Amino acid sequence: MKALVVGGGGREHAIVRALRRSAHAPEVLCAPGNAGIAADAECLPGIAADDVEAIVAIATERRVDLVAVGPEMALVAGVVDALEQAGVPAFGPSAAAAELEGSKAFAKELMKEAGVPTAGYVLLRSREEAVEHLACASYPAVLKADGLAAGKGVILCATEAEARAAVDVFFTEQRFGATTVVLEEFLEGEELSLLALCDGGNVVPLAPAQDYKRIFDGDQGPNTGGMGSYSPVPGFEQADVEEIVDSVHRPIVAAMARRGRPFHGVLYAGLMIGAEGPKVLEFNARFGDPETQAVLPRLRSDLVDLLLAAREPGGLAGMSAEFDSDWAVTLVLASAGYPESSSSGDVIHGLAAAAELAEVTHAGTAARDGEIVTAGGRVLNVTALGASPAEARDRAYDAAGRISFEGMQIRTDIAARAVERVPS
Ligand code: AMP
Ligand code: GLY
């Protein structure tokens, strides 16, 4: 069997490795991949993740049996529709179903219709309308640009003045090109990422995870794509997970089916767990990054079987995803300047020594003159397993300590909360 993974980050590296552990023993291709993925799969560096035509062409030419898509851009661009039309089995939502991530306004309206708990909100359709609403909103408040914004489309505003500035940015800056902005109530609590596989009707939850979005320790500084993660999460046992899936994922999947946009793929709910219980912050239509790097190494079930089943309407009936009891902690090693900018071309040392202790997946790396160099904001992920959060965490930090490159940034408090809650 032959599998193709679309994307070239740490998430895709983790997916490649999980596919290779399958009993189907697939030959794995990755488009475009990166310097680290090249050790585990045949990379196709000339093919960008959102180049739908090129992906369909290569998948057809190479007779691929399963495509797994990582990034949202490719999904929203319709890569799964195009592949399936060409007769290539592809895991992920159609463009119509990926709108759950592609449009925050669509997601909010759907949650309202399906009775899914989320922050109160108003949709602002113009700057003038926004100014009116901002004058009577309570602060802090949250503003979100409607479209995909690579993690930059959410601004937490402490005052009306900050909110006005955010609205100006969203409505005027080309990269947002927003025609709608969501003004949302600020929620307090603890964040949880709960990803589930969906087949248009059935929902199979994956292990819960927590990620760390801010660049600095203590959740300070700007939001990033994610600086670390761990799984499972103390306090969220199987019964709690089922309860969340019943109140969030299942009603959404049912609502999507009613709208004629059946959701196949990963439905990722970003949740805030507060005094009133879980509320949805956002939906993603794909695997999370870096949650996937902590979740998939613990997966005991066959990923190929699960992904193929999710393509078929009702295919996941009677299936479940089983996980090891081990804890996993993932650290992100980022380059200087991230998240505002990133640096590249710096030689990375210590990769082999780190790999003796932990699983090292590559995000932004490139090969140059026989060495691995940095090539992006998030450079590497280090994932360690352990019988307790403390063991996994210590091992992850020991392994990361063996890696060095110019300007390397790493948070020192990843999974500290889990260690406190589960004394070893
Ligand atoms: P999102 O992309 O919608 O998940 O937002 C990115 C991050 O902004 C979330 O992970 C939260 O940390 C924060 N955030 C989003 N919405 C809210 C909200 N309503 N209240 C508090 N924090 C929020
Ligand atoms: N970890 C956040 C995301 O994948 O969007």
Side-chain angles (χ1 to χ4, degrees):
M1 132 167 251
K2 211 178 277 177
L4 166 66
V5 176
V6 173
R11 164 183 54 202
E12 287 76 20
H13 200 173
I15 294 172
V16 163
R17 287 200 173 149
L19 290 174
R20 289 197 50 185
R21 287 192 291 273
S22 159
H24 297 270
E27 176 189 346
V28 184
L29 314 178
C30 189
N34 64 37
I37 295 176
D40 296 302
E42 179 190 343
C43 289
L44 306 162
I47 300 180
D50 55 358
D51 186 343
V52 173
E53 228 169 275
I55 288 164
V56 173
I58 195 78
T60 314
E61 182 192 318
R62 300 289 298 270
R63 299 176 183 278
V64 166
D65 304 289
L66 169 65
V67 179
V69 181
E72 62 274 19
M73 292 291 272
L75 295 167
V76 170
V79 71
V80 168
D81 311 65
L83 284 163
E84 289 281 347
Q85 232 159 42
V88 181
F91 169 82
S94 63
E99 201 176 351
L100 208 41
E101 170 164 6
S103 165
K104 291 181 191 294
F106 174 79
K108 280 300 214 182
E109 299 288 272
L110 198 77
M111 282 188 263
K112 198 190 315 179
E113 173 191 319
V116 168
T118 185
Y121 70 101
V122 235
L123 301 183
L124 310 172
R125 305 280 186 190
S126 68
R127 273 170 86 180
E128 296 63 41
E129 202 180 303
V131 168
E132 242 172 71
H133 280 285
L134 295 183
C136 43
S138 51
Y139 294 91
V142 183
L143 285 168
K144 302 185 176 185
D146 187 37
L148 287 183
K152 305 239 154 54
V154 175
I155 303 184
L156 309 181
C157 307
T159 61
E160 187 186 337
E162 280 180 33
R164 277 181 182 242
V167 158
D168 282 343
V169 168
F170 286 158
F171 277 117
T172 54
E173 276 192 26
Q174 198 62 35
R175 68 198 160 112
F176 294 110
T179 53
T180 303
V181 170
V182 182
L183 166 63
E184 194 173 278
E185 168 199 8
F186 178 83
L187 297 178
E188 276 177 282
E190 187 177 330
E191 285 185 54
L192 182 80
S193 303
L194 187 58
L195 285 64
L197 300 172
C198 308
D199 66 3
N202 298 292
V203 175
V204 171
L206 302 178
Q210 217 154 35
D211 81 341
Y212 289 79
K213 291 221 167 63
R214 307 294 193 93
I215 183 76
F216 299 129
D217 284 7
D219 296 327
Q220 301 297 307
N223 264 335
T224 70
M227 290 300 290
S229 62
Y230 65 91
S231 174
V233 181
F236 293 93
E237 309 306 327
Q238 190 60 30
D240 308 293
V241 165
E242 277 300 325
E243 211 172 291
I244 296 176
V245 160
D246 272 342
S247 61
V248 173
H249 299 71
R250 292 197 170 105
I252 287 294
V253 168
M256 291 296 280
R258 279 199 302 275
R259 291 199 175 199
R261 307 185 190 202
F263 191 95
H264 295 259
V266 176
L267 179 56
Y268 163 148
L271 303 154
M272 187 70 89
I273 315 292
E276 294 171 18
K279 289 189 180 180
V280 175
L281 294 175
E282 65 162 345
F283 285 119
N284 294 316
R286 53 171 173 81
F287 283 108
D289 189 340
E291 289 94 332
T292 303
Q293 291 89 311
V295 168
L296 287 188
R298 300 181 51 240
L299 180 70
R300 234 186 238 164
S301 310
D302 195 301
L303 187 61
V304 169
D305 288 338
L306 288 168
L307 300 191
L308 284 175
R311 284 183 55 248
E312 307 286 344
L316 287 169
M319 290 181 86
S320 64
E322 305 297 330
F323 289 87
D324 278 336
S325 58
D326 271 359
W327 297 76
V329 172
T330 297
L331 308 176
V332 171
L333 282 52
S335 71
Y338 183 72
E340 282 85 10
S341 62
S342 64
S343 26
S344 58
D346 296 309
V347 177
I348 302 170
H349 303 280
L351 285 170
E356 288 169 9
L357 287 180
E359 186 172 333
V360 180
T361 44
H362 289 227
T365 65
R368 194 189 63 195
D369 306 330
E371 292 183 300
I372 303 286
V373 299
T374 59
R378 289 192 290 175
V379 177
L380 295 163
N381 310 126
V382 173
T383 298
L385 296 169
S388 66
E391 195 180 302
R393 181 173 192 271
D394 289 348
R395 198 170 282 154
Y397 277 105
D398 282 349
R402 296 180 175 193
I403 297 175
S404 61
F405 55 84
E406 189 63 35
M408 177 170 119
Q409 301 191 74
I410 181 169
R411 272 183 68 157
T412 67
D413 62 349
I414 305 300
R417 207 185 285 139
V419 171
E420 264 169 43
R421 288 182 187 170
V422 186
S424 43

